[in-house]
Amino acid sequence: MRYTGTAVSAGVVIGKVYLYERFVSDVSKCPMGTPAEEAAHYLAARDAAQGELETLCQHFTELGDNEKASIFSAHLEILSDETMDEEIQAGISGGESSGPWVIRSVYEQYASMFEQLADPIIRERAVDLRDVCARLLRCWEGLPEQNLSALPEPVIIITHDLVPSDTATLDRNNVLGIVTEIGGSTSHSAIIARSYEIPAVLGVSGIVSQLEDRQEVILDAVDGAILTGFDEEVRSAYEAKRREILRRQAHTKLYIDREPITPDGVRIAVELNIASAEPQNLEYAKYTDGVGLFRSEFLYMGRSALPTEEEQFQAYRKVLMTYGSRPVILRTLDIGGDKPLDCLDIPKEDNPFLGNRALRLCFQHPDMFRTQLRASLRASVYGNLWLMFPMVASMDDIRRAKSCLESAKAELTAEGIPFSPDLKVGIMVEIPAIAFLADQAAREVDFASIGTNDLTQYLTAVDRGNPEVRAYYQTYHPSLFRLIGYVVRSFAAQGKPVGVCGEMGGDPLAAAVLIGLGMRQLSMGAASVASIKQMILSTSCETAKALAETVCGLSTADEVRKYLKEHIDL
Ligand code: PEP
Ligand code: MG
């Protein structure tokens, strides 16, 4: 069989399937035994959950990861809380509802109670309660624990979707490939797969029910296919294809440490998109001119409590010190949309990409925002920090965000804590409304970075994660290039820097056009650095300008793609 989807991170691998499904309990459908049976069932489930939590605690303590160990020891405390335990046992002995129903009601009652409290630290306990509840209900059903932090062997992960909290704890060394049922080239699974250089095909509808755990498959993340039931001939053809891709990738890597100067002598800044301050994320620091996008939200993911000011400060400082005088663009929390957060209860929305996301959510949670701004300001004295606000839609957003920053500055000043006076403040241009006001925005901020992933989504009215409308998500749409051209000219007119940090910045064909439109800063995932440098070294600005002029005059994305493929020699 051959299943198809979108190839988002190139490579070919042959390996075993690891089916990954997040557990969701439907308590209304659980069969009900006698009160005595339900009570015994509860005690067995509680013991099993306790055993799992103790193992996790011990595992992370042995690894020296006290932070993760403390999360699970807090969960153990919740599980053995006497009041809740008594209420559950009493509810079960009443005989009116099934055990799972009672467990869910008791945990939910306390979780909602915590949520109403003013103290943000106690409020966060609600997330832990729900986490423990889900574990208990899974143990009730006798289902094994599944997560991606400790995989049994090298595998190809097959799942409906990979939420950022999964990718945050991913056992990278054992992931050969990733296949999901939803998501496209700019979804977060795609971004992570590319930054870890893991071959990935996304948006393969219904694949989870078609494959079996540990079945051998071929993942072709060049042409976007998954093959099962293949013979030896097909296997050797794909092994040859794999060798050829690795050879080409090795060739491109020859450009990794070259200085990116066009043949007519223009120096282009090649910057890195990173998701954390972990050493693997910073390996490419030596090949890049700065961090064009630090997706700070990954610090908040896969955990049950918000990161403290100190913790954030340490992470930001580490990146700033690694880059020295080179700029580090730190984006404030961009959560919501396709990025949920375990440590913050974000109500479900019908249209999350058009909803309470990023800056809007920060305005709604001023304490959380203030903590991040304080941590960033404190870190600013250790390097060249540029602070950037995401999802800006209006001049009001700019002014309000800047005023939050001013308040954080005033607080630090009052406390005698230093911060850099040279800190630059900028915005992401990823909503058309602010792109069309770029001339005004450029007067009120120090820089901008164009988020082409969202700009494409909002300009073309296409959900970037929905495979049903994949064909309409057109990053080569001529309108997009025209609009980007306007933004670049508006910032240039004010003498303010403008870059790109969406996935287009790492696509050599699109990036050539961006240079032609006047862009001089491109930021991308590590996997694209070598190929972008290769393109820069072989494409003069004059050629790029001519390409951009033609592209802006074409009518369709297909015409643009065809034209660029014919005219850019890579
Ligand atoms: C973008 O929208 O282009 C971008 C860089 O931000 P994200 O992909 O994190 O939404
Ligand atoms: Mg974005």
Side-chain angles (χ1 to χ4, degrees):
M1 270 303 278
R2 182 185 163 92
Y3 306 93
T4 55
T6 311
V8 299
S9 177
V12 168
V13 281
I14 303 177
K16 285 191 194 156
V17 161
Y18 183 83
L19 285 180
Y20 177 63
E21 282 176 86
R22 294 185 136 223
F23 171 78
V24 184
S25 168
D26 186 351
V27 294
S28 62
K29 295 217 174 95
C30 289
M32 192 173 147
T34 63
E37 282 166 351
E38 295 289 280
H41 202 151
Y42 166 62
L43 293 181
R46 199 190 60 187
D47 284 353
Q50 182 176 341
E52 283 182 7
L53 287 169
E54 282 169 355
T55 309
L56 281 163
C57 231
Q58 194 184 343
H59 171 72
F60 287 113
T61 309
E62 279 165 13
L63 287 180
D65 192 338
N66 294 333
E67 197 191 321
K68 285 205 178 103
S70 69
I71 294 173
F72 294 112
S73 69
H75 286 195
L76 272 169
E77 275 174 36
I78 293 172
L79 190 68
S80 53
D81 182 276
E82 277 179 25
T83 317
M84 287 204 301
D85 191 51
E86 276 165 20
E87 283 184 30
I88 291 170
Q89 305 224 31
I92 288 176
S93 67
E96 277 177 20
S97 314
S98 71
W101 183 276
V102 175
I103 294 171
R104 164 70 57 86
S105 320
V106 171
Y107 270 83
E108 222 11 78
Q109 178 197 330
Y110 280 92
S112 330
M113 202 175 80
F114 280 138
E115 258 166 2
Q116 311 299 322
L117 300 177
D119 183 336
I121 300 191
I122 301 185
R123 271 205 314 260
E124 280 155 22
R125 297 281 283 181
V127 179
D128 294 294
L129 279 165
R130 294 198 172 106
D131 204 336
V132 175
C133 181
R135 181 180 296 279
L136 197 47
L137 293 174
R138 177 177 49 71
C139 289
W140 177 284
E141 294 192 22
L143 296 171
E145 169 154 53
Q146 257 200 326
N147 69 51
L148 299 173
S149 65
L151 294 165
E153 58 182 323
V155 287
I156 297 172
I157 294 172
I158 312 278
T159 183
H160 177 65
D161 188 20
L162 226 41
V163 299
S165 55
D166 293 323
T167 52
T169 51
L170 198 67
D171 174 8
R172 278 173 54 185
N173 296 333
N174 277 325
V175 183
L176 296 174
I178 294 172
V179 178
T180 65
E181 293 185 321
I182 62 170
S185 61
T186 58
S187 67
H188 281 267
S189 307
I191 289 164
I192 288 295
R194 270 195 296 274
S195 73
Y196 289 171
E197 300 188 35
I198 299 172
V201 175
L202 308 189
V204 190
S205 293
I207 187 77
V208 171
S209 59
Q210 299 300 315
L211 301 183
E212 280 175 21
D213 211 24
R214 306 303 144 90
Q215 171 183 4
E216 195 180 42
V217 296
I218 294 174
L219 171 62
D220 175 354
V222 174
D223 291 326
I226 293 97
L227 282 85
T228 59
F230 44 89
D231 59 20
E232 280 311 305
E233 205 179 320
V234 172
R235 177 193 294 274
S236 26
Y238 274 95
E239 277 167 353
K241 186 168 181 178
R242 174 175 165 77
R243 281 194 298 275
E244 172 57 17
I245 290 165
L246 293 175
R247 192 194 60 73
R248 257 194 284 136
Q249 284 174 341
H251 172 74
T252 303
K253 288 236 161 99
L254 296 176
Y255 292 87
I256 193 77
D257 55 3
R258 299 280 299 276
E259 193 175 355
I261 301 180
T262 63
D264 47 355
V266 178
R267 176 72 164 83
I268 308 291
V270 170
E271 300 172 343
L272 196 63
N273 289 354
I274 60 169
S276 83
E278 279 174 35
Q280 305 95 302
N281 273 274
L282 299 173
E283 271 166 24
Y284 276 59
K286 54 182 176 294
Y287 306 126
T288 45
D289 297 302
V291 169
L293 174 63
F294 182 172
R295 288 186 160 96
S296 67
E297 56 273 12
F298 282 82
L299 267 175
Y300 293 65
M301 290 170 179
R303 49 187 295 159
S304 55
L306 289 165
T308 62
E309 180 181 316
E310 185 60 24
E311 201 181 321
Q312 294 186 54
F313 162 72
Q314 297 290 352
Y316 305 156
R317 183 174 69 163
K318 193 154 146 204
V319 179
L320 285 163
M321 288 175 72
T322 304
Y323 273 87
S325 60
R326 292 170 288 170
V328 171
I329 302 184
L330 174 67
R331 175 172 77 183
T332 59
L333 187 60
D334 182 358
I335 218 72
D338 66 338
K339 293 177 275 191
L341 209 57
D342 293 342
C343 56
L344 194 71
D345 191 28
I346 308 174
K348 240 186 155 27
E349 296 173 301
D350 285 341
N351 291 301
F353 275 124
L354 303 181
N356 206 0
R357 190 188 155 187
L359 199 53
R360 297 169 187 175
L361 207 67
C362 287
F363 288 150
Q364 202 181 48
H365 296 270
D367 291 348
M368 179 180 77
F369 195 29
R370 203 183 74 226
T371 303
Q372 182 170 40
L373 294 175
R374 284 178 58 103
S376 318
L377 286 166
R378 282 175 55 201
S380 66
V381 291
Y382 293 91
N384 183 2
L385 180 65
W386 296 26
L387 195 66
M388 176 162 75
F389 300 117
M391 283 290 288
V392 167
S394 63
M395 296 305 291
D396 303 317
D397 284 344
I398 294 179
R399 291 168 191 158
R400 190 165 169 194
K402 282 175 75 175
S403 124
C404 295
L405 181 64
E406 286 314 309
S407 310
K409 282 183 179 175
E411 267 184 32
L412 292 186
T413 307
E415 291 166 31
I417 300 173
F419 55 87
S420 168
D422 303 323
L423 173 87
K424 289 203 183 341
V425 181
I427 55 165
M428 286 201 73
V429 173
E430 52 187 346
I431 297 181
I434 201 69
F436 285 110
L437 284 187
D439 54 334
Q440 295 186 27
R443 284 187 214 112
E444 299 200 14
V445 296
D446 300 322
F447 71 95
S449 183
I450 304 182
T452 50
N453 307 341
D454 278 315
L455 191 56
T456 309
Q457 146 164 284
Y458 296 128
L459 189 64
T460 59
V462 182
D463 180 336
R464 65 194 255 191
N466 181 353
E468 292 301 314
V469 286
R470 190 188 302 152
Y472 296 97
Y473 185 85
Q474 298 174 341
T475 50
Y476 290 171
H477 199 302
S479 291
L480 191 62
F481 289 112
R482 287 188 185 193
L483 185 54
I484 292 173
Y486 173 68
V487 176
V488 174
R489 287 192 301 278
S490 302
F491 273 77
Q494 300 291 326
K496 306 258 174 91
V498 57
V500 67
C501 61
E503 296 304 299
M504 265 171 103
D507 167 359
L509 298 183
V513 180
L514 299 180
I515 292 173
L517 291 170
M519 186 93 76
R520 295 293 177 260
Q521 277 166 254
L522 303 171
S523 192
M524 64 212 69
S528 303
V529 172
S531 56
I532 288 293
K533 286 190 177 182
Q534 184 181 10
M535 179 277 289
I536 292 170
L537 284 155
S538 61
T539 313
S540 70
C541 273
E542 205 186 325
T543 307
K545 200 162 168 229
L547 287 174
E549 266 163 31
T550 305
V551 159
C552 288
L554 294 176
S555 312
T556 68
D558 274 349
E559 283 173 22
V560 172
R561 184 188 314 276
K562 195 156 163 282
Y563 176 79
L564 293 177
K565 279 198 166 154
E566 276 166 14
H567 289 81
I568 301 177
D569 189 23
L570 292 173

